[in-house]
Amino acid sequence: MSTFLSIGSGPGMGLATAERFAREGFQVVLSARNEGKVRDLAEQLKAKGHKVDVRTVDAADPASVAKLVEGVERDFGGIDVLHFNAASMRNQTLADQPRDSFNTDLAVNIGGAAVAAQATAPKMLQRGSGSVLFTGGGFGLQPHPEYLSLSIGKAGIRALAQGIFEPFKEKGVHVATVTVAGFVTTAEDANAVAEHFWQLHSQPKGAWEVEAMYTPKG
């Protein structure tokens, strides 16, 4: 059975994307800092007959991310799809944001993504298969002054995906991001984003794309 690891699993896009892959027969592993909330999400999927496991992870801590990846690879025989969905959604301007929060926000928004990709890469590249998927954002294209740390993080996500796309592609691993140009507040939008992720994963190698764009309707 193929394994789908979600880092930063939440009730919107994270859950919808996990369910989309679960419907295709994937073993799903949900992870986030709050174990209780993740378990609640897992129960929703289990109630629909899907196979789900729950882990805890601090996306801001490189050691925690690496340990998560190592544990999932050990327990499930590998990771076929990584979905990095973690983000610090801080609503503050440059002047308002506490100084001691900048590095933490960036550690979550882009540092965790880089570590997750780095940690999963060796075995994926060795096998010559797999997908590394990132939840991007429109703020990476048009930064918002009131969501500055998030904007910087989403710009970093896009740069990360584009920067490793070609070398990973050459070895059979698909790197891609869905750039979500707006806030996802409805199940319809969350499911639409999830479908974009599935379609990216499902693309034949000769037609691989690094980015899909989606503008929420809700």
Side-chain angles (χ1 to χ4, degrees), residues 105-123:
D105 285 354
L106 293 179
V108 173
N109 293 339
I110 181 58
V115 172
Q118 182 188 58
T120 55
K123 291 192 176 180

Side-chain angles (χ1 to χ4, degrees), residues 109-186:
N109 293 339
I110 181 58
V115 172
Q118 182 188 58
T120 55
K123 291 192 176 180
M124 281 191 179
L125 296 173
Q126 184 179 37
R127 291 196 314 267
S129 67
S131 293
V132 177
L133 306 175
F134 302 110
T135 300
F139 289 165
L141 300 172
Q142 294 181 311
H144 196 297
E146 295 180 4
Y147 288 91
L148 192 61
S149 61
L150 179 61
S151 298
I152 295 169
K154 292 307 182 185
I157 286 285
R158 193 165 187 263
L160 173 62
Q162 293 186 349
I164 64 176
F165 175 71
E166 287 294 343
F168 276 49
K169 178 182 178 181
E170 291 173 1
K171 296 186 178 180
V173 177
H174 189 183
V175 176
T177 179
V178 177
T179 297
V180 185
F183 290 105
V184 170
T185 58
T186 68

Side-chain angles (χ1 to χ4, degrees), residues 46-205:
K46 289 179 181 178
K48 297 179 180 180
H50 301 308
K51 294 186 177 181
V52 189
D53 189 68
V54 171
R55 305 289 167 103
T56 57
V57 65
D58 181 355
D61 180 358
S64 178
V65 174
K67 182 179 178 180
L68 167 68
V69 170
E70 180 183 0
V72 173
E73 288 179 337
R74 179 188 64 243
D75 296 341
F76 296 98
I79 297 168
D80 299 280
V81 178
L82 166 70
H83 178 211
F84 189 87
N85 187 61
S88 177
M89 306 289 289
R90 188 181 299 278
N91 182 5
Q92 287 179 319
T93 65
L94 180 67
D96 295 333
Q97 182 163 348
R99 290 178 181 174
D100 61 0
S101 68
F102 284 112
N103 286 347
T104 301
D105 285 354
L106 293 179
V108 173
N109 293 339
I110 181 58
V115 172
Q118 182 188 58
T120 55
K123 291 192 176 180
M124 281 191 179
L125 296 173
Q126 184 179 37
R127 291 196 314 267
S129 67
S131 293
V132 177
L133 306 175
F134 302 110
T135 300
F139 289 165
L141 300 172
Q142 294 181 311
H144 196 297
E146 295 180 4
Y147 288 91
L148 192 61
S149 61
L150 179 61
S151 298
I152 295 169
K154 292 307 182 185
I157 286 285
R158 193 165 187 263
L160 173 62
Q162 293 186 349
I164 64 176
F165 175 71
E166 287 294 343
F168 276 49
K169 178 182 178 181
E170 291 173 1
K171 296 186 178 180
V173 177
H174 189 183
V175 176
T177 179
V178 177
T179 297
V180 185
F183 290 105
V184 170
T185 58
T186 68
E188 178 184 2
D189 283 328
N191 290 333
V193 172
E195 184 62 30
H196 276 296
F197 276 121
W198 173 254
Q199 293 301 324
L200 285 166
H201 169 71
S202 303
Q203 288 175 338
K205 186 175 181 180

